Amino acid sequence: MEELILTSIAIGIKSVIFIIGMFLLAAYLTWIERKFAGHVQQRPGPLHVGWHGLLQPIADALKVLTKEDIVPSGVDKVLFYLASLLAFVPAIMILAVVPFGQPVNLFGFEIKPYITDLNVGLILALAFGSISIYGVIFAGWASNSKYPMIGGLRKAAVLIGYEVALGFAMVGPIMQAGTFSLKGIVEAQQGLWFIIPNILGFVVILFAILAETGRTPFDVQEAEAELVSGYNTEYSAMKFGLFPLAEWYIATFVLSAIAVILFFGGWNGPHIFGPISPFVWFFLKLAMMFMFFLWVHWTLPRYRVDQITELAWKVMLPLSLLNILVVAIWIMIFG
Amino acid sequence: MSWISLEKATALKEKFNYIDVAESNGYVSVEVPKDKLISFLQFLKEDPDYAFKMFIDLTVIDHGQKENPRFQGVIILYSPEYKERIIVKSWATEETLPTLTNLWSGAKWAEREAWDMFGIKFEGHDNLVRMFMWEGYPYHPLRKDFPIRGIEDVELPSLNEVERGDQLEGLFNYSRMHTALPTLEDLEKTQKARMPKKKSQIVLNWGPLHPGTHGTIWFLFDLDGEYVQQCDIIIGQLHRGVEKIAENIGYQQFIPYTDRMDYIASINENHAYVVAAEKLLGIHDKVPPKAKWIRTMMAELSRINSHLLWLGTYALDLGALTMFLYTFREREKIMDILEGITGARFTINYFRIGGVFADLPAGALEAIEHFLKDFPERINDYENLLTRNRIWLKRNKDVCVLTEEDVYDYGLTGAVARASGVPYDVRKIDSYDMYDEVDFDIPVGEVGDSYDRYLVRMEEMRQSAKIIQQCIEKLRNDFTPDDPYFLEPEDPKKLKLSIDGRGLKLPQGEVYASTDNPRGELGFYIYNKKAAIKPHRVRIRSGAFYNLQVFTKAIIGRPIADAITLLSTIDPVVGETDR
């Protein structure tokens, strides 16, 4: 009993730290994105608020929080409020199963840099990812307006395709590691990273993450040229702010973390940074993944929605199945 | 000049004894009775010796209340085979004319506009609604009896008076009366009139303010899922009655109004008007060659400027956000050059009837040359990012194909026509200013899809750079700063030509002159009853107006996302469509 209480308190503290950390991180991911986009576009990006615009995210957050929160009269109020929460909460809940490193001994305590290590961690992450999509669809429906509705429906169409491909693409690493636990998968990659036989799966996952997080070239649900702003057209203030925060930053970050864990050996790497070496490696890989998505976002035009679903069903799904076959043969040969 | 010869037009008389052929400084027009108009036009369109297949313009002249019949329809046609134009006129007795829509679909909007502006009914038109004004607007503004300041018949008191009870009577020219304004019911009626029958699930409105339309256009899409079943466009939110203003203002003073039409390529707008006025005066050949070279160079610079904005916003609409800033980097350089030469960055009025208003400043040629030095490289950069990009290809290839037939049928001009394989370029056909002395090619597309329209515009930028290079060499080698840049008339008493244009009279007659705007053929039809300081009627044939019209046809059956692609490749500017 005593142990249960202690564990609960430990998990509680850890959760608070994770959530606050994620908020701060997400805020600074917006700064990174804006700087990145700025330099891609040959302009400096945020520059005036703080040193090189470092206080810009805080200014933005203050702005979004103090804006008037307008709820249009024709909306379905319950779903309208629920939608922004449903988009945000599940995205951050995925963090519960994402490990950021091995347990370390600090001042005599064993500190685990993850909240829990479930043996169905990956499935839980996928499930939370799928729930967060309801936010977008609810937002589209509850706004009682045509642009959000088309945006929400588009997102639904895209996600039905890519959820399937995403699930199948993750089968390869799971087969090799023999576990759904994310920590277990990392530990199985001590030697060779799973990217080697799973290259097809990795490609599918890259596309799927772009589609799930609604980044260009798959940002049809908020194609501003035709749908004004898509599913969040009727939203304002912080309710509006939660959507991009959840989709573009938290979801992208968390899904990048999962991709790194599945294919790039998580925190595995040469111990050249001393005791913090696993964290450094993990965050370096994560940053590379995140930057890759930014790079794609700020370079490419966007697909049409029918082309995206076509791509999902006709290319990505077969590729992910082929990946399973390749991995199966790999396991048969190399064990 | 690309006009039908008097002999050829007179030869028509053998077959149609009821026509009258008239000529005014080279512009041959044929007058046909109203009841014979359609059969005569059909002959012109289908006869292999004439083959006036392409519809250019339709408008109406109001001859004044005292005249009977009062209104005259004017139709301008073009023959692609013989490269010549013709004006066909017909008196609109009883304020009606037969519709041309069975011969050319492009007449649909032009007839709506004529109904809107003059109150001429077109018999047989399938949905004759107003073009610019809202349904329920009681007047026809381009009629001569409509005053230029409008009819103030709506009481619209100031909010200060209504809310706070301020007594404003007698202050600051305060008047409670106002010209008519559309109410919400009026707008609903307008929308209903445009699309009387819904074909499928939802009607999606784009605009009047929408990020995808780049201006105040109001689109109505009847959507079946994502696919468009029916479409119409309500324009007129930016209608300022430029044609009405032209009738009430001196010739030289009208130039600043033209650059507020197509504000992206204001120099080209000035150019068209100036060329038309010069042709009516008969001085276009006498304008100093230096002025002509400068005008050619500036027009092409402005074309590059306009195409860069097009490319940036086009890519932006298709999701490639970065392209926008890349093209604006180059555009900024051109803007700086234009500012240095003309004194303005955006609404430039540099050209005058008779030349330009100031010589090139010292160093202008060097600045342009410096810009041109790395410009081809920049276009290659843009093409590297887009042309072979798989997503770009998927979004543009085989999207909204416009055929050669469509070009003639709808009177499409500019890059839209050229992408459909019609080498229609007024610069080559009319060779105004110095275009017959410079060497350049007309890029022509093969399929007529959005991708071809993209490629044609990209190549046009390269060709424009080539023209500018030639102009620079000419200006540098053949002219000194002492050469005149403005025409000094031989007899200043007869022709009061000056830069401010005071007292400038234009002779009696009519002229249709056009230039190749970045957005299509921009034509000015000027009709003068007698020599006067104000024109009797100025009709602006807007390329963007006619090009936009084909949108309603080409989008049918396409997903809504293609509407963006099509609109961007047609590239209308609302200032010019609405005028």
Side-chain angles (χ1 to χ4, degrees):
Chain A
M1 189 66 205
E2 204 173 302
E3 198 186 335
L4 186 68
I5 293 169
L6 271 180
T7 328
S8 305
I9 291 172
I11 286 182
I13 292 171
K14 241 190 262 178
S15 300
V16 168
I17 291 172
F18 266 63
I19 288 170
I20 291 173
M22 195 63 224
F23 262 106
L24 284 177
L25 193 66
Y28 275 88
L29 288 177
T30 67
W31 178 80
I32 290 173
E33 166 141 27
R34 290 177 63 171
K35 272 287 179 198
F36 190 94
H39 286 283
V40 165
Q41 298 174 340
Q42 306 203 334
R43 58 189 174 83
L47 202 59
H48 295 290
V49 190
W51 184 78
H52 279 260
L54 264 178
L55 297 176
Q56 188 73 45
I58 294 160
D60 283 350
L62 280 176
K63 186 198 116 181
V64 170
L65 282 168
T66 51
K67 283 273 168 191
E68 185 189 355
D69 191 2
I70 301 163
V71 180
S73 57
V75 300
D76 182 335
K77 285 226 170 60
V78 178
L79 286 183
F80 192 72
Y81 279 97
L82 196 61
S84 53
L85 287 179
L86 259 185
F88 183 73
V89 174
I92 215 163
M93 272 165 80
I94 303 178
L95 275 180
V97 291
V98 177
F100 288 89
Q102 281 164 316
V104 283
N105 277 310
L106 220 61
F107 313 117
F109 293 101
E110 193 192 35
I111 298 206
K112 295 174 183 160
Y114 45 84
I115 295 175
T116 121
D117 176 29
L118 288 178
N119 54 359
V120 288
L122 195 54
I123 291 180
L124 203 71
L126 267 178
F128 281 138
S130 303
I131 289 173
S132 71
I133 306 316
Y134 280 102
V136 173
I137 296 167
F138 281 176
W141 174 255
S143 296
N144 194 12
S145 163
K146 285 168 190 170
Y147 301 124
M149 195 183 77
I150 294 176
L153 288 176
R154 279 182 175 188
K155 182 85 183 178
V158 168
L159 281 159
I160 289 171
Y162 278 96
E163 283 283 310
V164 177
L166 183 71
F168 275 121
M170 285 179 176
V171 172
I174 296 166
M175 280 160 70
Q176 280 186 291
T179 172
F180 281 112
S181 155
L182 287 164
K183 192 162 166 275
I185 290 173
V186 175
E187 277 156 6
Q189 299 180 66
Q190 299 284 1
L192 197 60
W193 292 350
F194 285 166
I195 180 78
I196 291 304
N198 278 302
I199 182 78
L200 287 175
F202 177 65
V203 170
V204 173
I205 289 230
L206 278 187
F207 276 74
I209 292 178
L210 283 171
E212 295 247 339
T213 57
R215 281 187 175 274
T216 325
F218 300 114
D219 58 343
V220 281
Q221 78 277 20
E222 49 190 274
E224 74 277 345
E226 55 228 55
L227 297 182
V228 185
S229 182
Y231 62 92
N232 56 22
T233 306
E234 303 288 344
Y235 280 82
S236 57
M238 197 59 208
K239 285 213 291 295
F240 169 77
L242 284 181
F243 281 112
L245 201 65
E247 279 218 312
W248 282 15
Y249 302 107
I250 297 178
T252 312
F253 179 81
V254 172
L255 287 172
S256 302
I258 290 176
V260 166
I261 287 168
L262 288 180
F263 297 102
F264 290 104
W267 51 83
N268 289 328
H271 283 268
I272 48 175
F273 302 110
I276 54 159
S277 181
F279 294 103
V280 171
W281 280 118
F282 190 73
F283 277 96
L284 264 182
K285 288 170 186 172
L286 196 52
M288 299 272 275
M289 282 292 280
F290 189 76
M291 291 288 193
F292 173 79
F293 293 128
L294 292 189
W295 181 34
V296 170
H297 185 127
W298 293 101
T299 309
L300 292 181
R302 82 168 69 85
Y303 274 115
R304 222 163 55 203
V305 65
D306 54 321
Q307 290 163 347
I308 296 180
T309 42
E310 203 179 285
L311 195 72
W313 292 108
K314 290 188 181 162
V315 181
M316 290 304 152
L317 187 62
L319 270 185
S320 60
L321 292 174
L322 189 65
N323 178 55
I324 297 177
L325 186 72
V326 170
V327 175
I329 293 169
W330 179 278
I331 292 174
M332 273 175 69
I333 299 170
F334 299 102
Chain B
M1 192 173 59
S2 59
W3 215 267
I4 188 169
S5 64
L6 193 59
E7 295 82 57
K8 205 174 167 187
T10 324
L12 280 166
K13 257 191 130 138
E14 283 172 24
K15 204 160 181 321
F16 305 93
N17 52 4
Y18 47 76
I19 62 169
D20 286 325
V21 179
E23 195 244 352
S24 128
N25 40 4
Y27 294 90
V28 176
S29 63
V30 179
E31 201 178 312
V32 187
K34 190 175 109 183
D35 48 336
K36 306 281 193 331
L37 179 66
I38 294 299
S39 56
F40 178 71
L41 288 175
Q42 190 144 20
F43 172 80
L44 280 187
K45 186 186 175 188
E46 282 158 13
D47 189 76
D49 289 338
Y50 290 92
F52 285 97
K53 278 195 285 188
M54 188 164 168
F55 177 77
I56 297 288
D57 200 8
L58 178 148
T59 188
V60 171
I61 301 172
D62 179 3
H63 284 270
Q65 284 151 286
K66 287 174 198 142
E67 304 279 327
N68 192 26
R70 181 176 165 187
F71 297 101
Q72 191 179 32
V74 178
I75 299 145
I76 303 167
L77 302 173
Y78 175 72
S79 162
E81 263 142 72
Y82 303 101
K83 300 213 181 330
E84 51 193 26
R85 295 197 186 93
I86 190 172
I87 293 180
V88 179
K89 287 181 173 177
S90 180
W91 287 99
T93 43
E94 292 153 10
E95 303 192 357
T96 58
L97 275 173
T99 181
L100 264 62
T101 43
N102 300 323
L103 290 173
W104 292 283
S105 314
K108 192 174 168 189
W109 277 19
E111 286 176 2
R112 279 182 182 178
E113 190 188 341
W115 154 244
D116 190 4
M117 292 291 133
F118 290 96
I120 303 295
K121 280 226 159 70
F122 287 85
E123 288 157 347
H125 193 287
D126 55 354
N127 188 11
L128 193 67
V129 292
R130 282 178 176 269
M131 188 77 240
F132 297 136
M133 313 307 278
W134 58 95
E135 292 302 311
Y137 182 73
Y139 311 111
H140 298 289
L142 274 182
R143 288 188 171 198
K144 284 286 174 192
D145 49 355
F146 187 86
I148 186 158
R149 70 171 295 191
I151 297 170
E152 297 173 333
D153 55 356
V154 178
E155 197 175 358
L156 203 74
S158 153
L159 269 183
N160 282 3
E161 192 174 320
V162 180
E163 305 269 316
R164 315 220 304 255
D166 286 3
Q167 186 53 254
L168 297 171
E169 200 68 63
L171 288 171
F172 314 117
N173 285 335
Y174 173 69
S175 159
R176 283 200 194 87
M177 300 309 282
H178 201 279
T179 50
L181 289 171
T183 58
L184 275 180
E185 290 83 59
D186 286 334
L187 293 179
E188 258 165 46
K189 248 196 287 174
T190 311
Q191 191 188 3
K192 281 257 161 59
R194 287 309 172 91
M195 207 178 268
K197 242 169 125 188
K198 200 164 133 179
K199 274 190 187 161
S200 44
Q201 296 155 347
I202 54 170
V203 175
L204 186 73
N205 282 269
W206 272 15
L209 291 169
H210 185 282
T213 61
H214 300 296
T216 51
I217 319 181
W218 182 358
F219 290 84
L220 299 172
F221 293 110
D222 199 356
L223 284 187
D224 180 20
E226 288 251 340
Y227 291 84
V228 180
Q229 299 298 324
Q230 218 188 145
C231 168
D232 208 334
I233 305 173
I234 305 174
I235 56 174
Q237 284 87 5
L238 206 60
H239 175 68
R240 292 149 296 179
V242 175
E243 290 173 12
K244 185 86 182 172
I245 294 169
E247 292 170 11
N248 290 284
I249 203 170
Y251 286 95
Q252 207 76 288
Q253 272 119 31
F254 181 57
I255 296 172
Y257 287 95
T258 62
D259 55 53
R260 276 142 184 88
M261 293 196 313
D262 182 352
Y263 35 79
I264 309 296
S266 43
I267 286 185
N268 300 69
E269 303 281 302
N270 297 164
H271 203 181
Y273 174 70
V274 162
V275 167
E278 280 171 0
K279 282 190 173 164
L280 185 55
L281 273 170
I283 57 166
H284 186 63
D285 301 328
K286 295 178 206 150
V287 172
K290 184 178 173 190
K292 283 187 168 183
W293 280 110
I294 294 175
R295 293 207 304 213
T296 309
M297 180 179 78
M298 295 297 278
E300 290 309 312
L301 208 54
S302 168
R303 183 187 307 275
I304 293 180
N305 190 0
S306 164
H307 279 2
L308 281 175
L309 182 83
W310 158 79
L311 179 63
T313 51
Y314 176 27
L316 181 74
D317 280 349
L318 295 196
L321 306 160
T322 301
M323 203 60 203
F324 183 68
L325 283 122
Y326 285 180
T327 59
F328 262 57
R329 180 187 57 201
E330 307 312 310
R331 197 163 175 262
E332 195 61 26
K333 291 182 195 164
I334 299 183
M335 295 283 244
D336 286 345
I337 292 168
L338 291 180
E339 190 186 5
I341 294 174
T342 69
R345 290 167 69 84
F346 201 55
T347 47
I348 302 153
N349 51 328
Y350 180 53
F351 297 176
R352 290 289 183 277
I353 300 167
V356 292
F357 88 75
D359 201 356
L360 290 177
L365 294 178
E366 284 71 28
I368 298 173
E369 211 161 37
H370 184 76
F371 163 74
L372 285 182
K373 212 161 71 186
D374 64 347
F375 184 63
E377 207 180 302
R378 293 284 172 250
I379 301 185
N380 290 342
D381 285 353
Y382 304 150
E383 290 228 57
N384 279 343
L385 269 170
L386 297 177
T387 306
R388 292 276 149 223
N389 187 325
R390 283 183 67 88
I391 301 171
W392 191 256
L393 286 171
K394 274 216 155 184
R395 284 303 300 275
N396 287 298
K397 271 249 176 215
D398 299 320
V399 167
C400 302
V401 177
L402 297 174
T403 59
E404 199 179 333
E405 280 311 302
D406 287 332
V407 171
Y408 299 143
D409 198 23
Y410 281 87
L412 306 181
T413 46
V416 181
R418 294 194 276 272
S420 301
V422 183
Y424 181 78
D425 192 327
V426 189
R427 289 178 292 180
K428 286 276 188 201
I429 297 166
D430 259 358
S431 59
Y432 52 94
D433 275 357
M434 284 302 177
Y435 281 110
D436 50 349
E437 306 225 345
V438 290
D439 169 41
F440 68 102
D441 301 323
I442 308 176
V444 172
E446 283 174 350
V447 191
D449 54 2
S450 294
Y451 189 62
D452 275 2
R453 291 192 278 277
Y454 159 75
L455 288 180
V456 162
R457 284 212 176 84
M458 294 306 274
E459 185 55 35
E460 267 183 31
M461 283 199 266
R462 293 206 177 89
Q463 294 299 332
S464 292
K466 197 169 143 191
I467 295 173
I468 296 170
Q469 194 65 51
Q470 293 170 43
C471 291
I472 291 174
E473 266 150 41
K474 223 35 192 194
L475 281 166
R476 181 173 290 153
N477 299 332
D478 294 11
F479 297 97
T480 62
D482 299 332
D483 285 324
Y485 54 83
F486 191 77
L487 175 66
E488 297 289 336
E490 289 146 20
D491 183 359
K493 284 230 171 73
K494 233 177 176 178
L495 178 63
K496 284 185 184 161
L497 196 62
S498 64
I499 283 173
D500 68 355
R502 228 167 279 164
L504 174 64
K505 262 191 186 178
L506 259 67
Q508 181 216 353
E510 63 181 341
V511 66
Y512 173 79
S514 56
T515 61
D516 196 72
N517 204 31
R519 262 151 268 284
E521 174 184 349
L522 179 77
F524 278 80
Y525 172 77
I526 305 177
Y527 174 82
N528 250 5
K529 262 186 125 132
K530 54 181 190 298
I533 53 168
K534 292 173 188 171
H536 184 79
R537 167 93 173 105
V538 172
R539 160 70 182 174
I540 301 158
R541 191 262 180 220
S542 153
F545 180 76
Y546 285 102
N547 289 356
L548 185 62
Q549 186 180 0
V550 83
F551 182 95
T552 54
K553 182 214 166 216
I555 196 62
I556 304 291
R558 308 288 317 178
I560 186 78
D562 281 352
I564 285 293
T565 320
L566 180 61
L567 185 66
S568 297
T569 50
I570 285 177
D571 188 27
V573 160
V574 189
E576 197 190 294
T577 58
D578 289 7
R579 297 189 291 283

